[in-house]
Amino acid sequence: MALSPRESGEHIVKNAKFVTVIPEGIERLANEVVSRLKSGELDPKNFSQNDVHPKCDDAHAIEWIFVVDTLNFCFWTPNDYTKYKVDGYTGYFALCAAINRAMLEGIDITNAAYYSKIDVDTLRKVFRSDDGVTSVPLFEKRLSCFHEVGTRLLENWQGKFENVIRAANNSAERLLQLVVSEFPCFRDEADFEGKRVSLYKRAQILIGDIWSCFEGKGLGKFNNLEKITMFADYRVPQVLIHFGSLVYKPELLEVLNKDTILENGDPREVEIRGASIYIVEQAKDIILKKMADKELELNKEHVNSILIDHFLWDYRRKHADELEHIPFHKVLSVYY
């Protein structure tokens, strides 16, 4: 039985050898998040306002989100981090564009009965790049993930991820448990210092996307969203370092500066991701405490790790040039 993502973050930071967490930097991050919440910049409405995302009243919204988050991993290659493009988009947005293009072309890409058996040639067509040459990274893994989740949906859930959501009865924690138990490709875990730890990046972003798309209503209403942590990837730590909340030890910096490809589960990778979870949880706790002490007045439903992650991820994209000098860890993995 793995520790929860929050418990994992605490265990990892407590036993870390390669990273250091700086409380003053966490306070600085919390203050930045507060200012963005006050301004209205951080809001679940932002999800559906993005052109590549579905609206909550789109009939395909839930199944689209599940498909995208099943495939939401590793858009870089060791030699070029932004070469794979679809309709001019890079990274995650290229994936969204590819799925949307497939739908416009009449490919039944959000139907589990279809994608559970999708063939290599069709999936290559779905993922074709703007230059016609660059392949989406880890193509075979994406094919395998599609077959795995589609088959499981057909076997246990009448082919609909919506039925998994309904079975969770508005519990984000229960939905997280269902996703990682039913679909092994979401089971983002590692062994670290005598404990089984969980990071669950894609499983948690799946829940975050559902909550954001439906703005916390209907299928997107969850009673215990505080159980969901940030989505530990390889780019957000650059922002945590920028704000002074995370520091890499010299021996880790040396490895990262050499562009070394780490194995998934490497203690250095686990420490970076676990520390990211810990820092965001601490920042969230600081904000909630100030609200409890009447020092702050904010919409409590918006003080969660999902929106803090949105801030960090957007900040990295908006300030890419400014942050590019900060090295990031590289792992070829289906988990992020």
Side-chain angles (χ1 to χ4, degrees), residues 43-297:
D43 192 294
K45 288 187 176 71
N46 296 342
F47 181 90
S48 294
Q49 288 171 359
N50 191 302
D51 290 343
V52 297
H53 285 158
K55 309 291 186 283
C56 65
D57 54 0
D58 289 341
H60 63 270
I62 287 292
E63 305 309 321
W64 185 99
I65 290 170
F66 181 64
V67 162
V68 164
D69 286 328
T70 292
L71 305 172
N72 182 8
F73 56 84
C74 194
F75 300 103
W76 60 276
T77 62
N79 301 319
D80 194 325
Y81 304 124
T82 58
K83 192 176 181 184
Y84 178 71
K85 293 181 180 178
V86 177
D87 294 344
Y89 292 103
T90 61
Y92 161 77
F93 291 123
L95 166 64
C96 298
I99 297 302
N100 291 339
R101 180 180 62 190
M103 292 175 69
L104 287 171
E105 293 173 348
I107 297 173
D108 202 5
I109 200 69
T110 61
N111 180 352
Y114 181 84
Y115 62 71
S116 65
K117 294 182 173 65
I118 194 167
D119 60 57
V120 169
D121 291 342
T122 303
L123 195 59
R124 285 205 188 282
K125 179 184 177 186
V126 168
F127 279 124
R128 70 189 185 275
S129 60
D130 288 351
D131 65 15
V133 177
T134 306
S135 295
V136 67
L138 301 187
F139 174 84
E140 291 79 10
K141 298 283 190 186
R142 295 178 201 278
L143 182 68
S144 175
C145 287
F146 239 162
H147 289 169
E148 174 194 290
V149 302
T151 300
R152 193 61 68 94
L153 280 180
L154 292 169
E155 288 174 349
N156 296 346
W157 303 97
Q158 297 80 53
K160 295 283 189 183
F161 184 70
E162 178 179 331
N163 292 328
V164 184
I165 298 174
R166 293 189 184 283
N169 290 320
N170 302 112
S171 167
E173 186 177 30
R174 175 64 180 144
L175 182 54
L176 181 61
Q177 291 167 349
L178 281 171
V179 169
V180 299
S181 62
E182 285 290 304
F183 310 106
C185 70
F186 282 87
R187 206 173 295 152
D188 180 7
E189 299 175 358
D191 293 312
F192 184 82
E193 293 294 323
K195 302 276 188 182
R196 187 73 176 165
V197 296
S198 66
L199 295 311
Y200 296 156
K201 188 261 187 179
R202 286 196 296 112
Q204 294 196 106
I205 208 170
L206 171 60
I207 295 167
D209 285 350
I210 294 163
W211 175 76
S212 299
C213 182
F214 288 82
E215 296 177 26
K217 303 182 185 76
L219 288 170
K221 178 179 172 59
F222 297 108
N223 300 324
N224 49 3
L225 213 58
E226 73 279 358
K227 299 291 186 180
I228 302 302
T229 70
M230 61 82 72
F231 322 129
D233 70 355
Y234 61 97
R235 284 296 202 174
V236 164
Q238 289 179 295
V239 186
L240 301 179
I241 288 171
H242 172 74
F243 280 105
S245 58
L246 178 64
V247 173
Y248 293 157
K249 298 283 182 66
E251 56 267 40
L252 176 57
L253 270 175
E254 184 180 351
V255 170
L256 300 184
N257 281 321
K258 289 178 181 174
D259 276 347
T260 306
I261 307 293
L262 301 176
E263 290 294 320
N264 180 237
D266 184 295
R268 294 164 293 190
E269 176 217 23
V270 175
E271 286 192 20
I272 293 168
R273 299 181 73 205
S276 300
I277 290 175
Y278 177 85
I279 288 167
V280 171
E281 289 299 289
Q282 291 297 304
K284 178 181 72 176
D285 289 352
I286 287 169
I287 299 169
L288 290 172
K289 185 176 187 306
K290 287 181 177 179
M291 290 173 65
D293 294 343
K294 309 298 184 188
E295 295 175 34
L296 265 180
E297 194 169 325

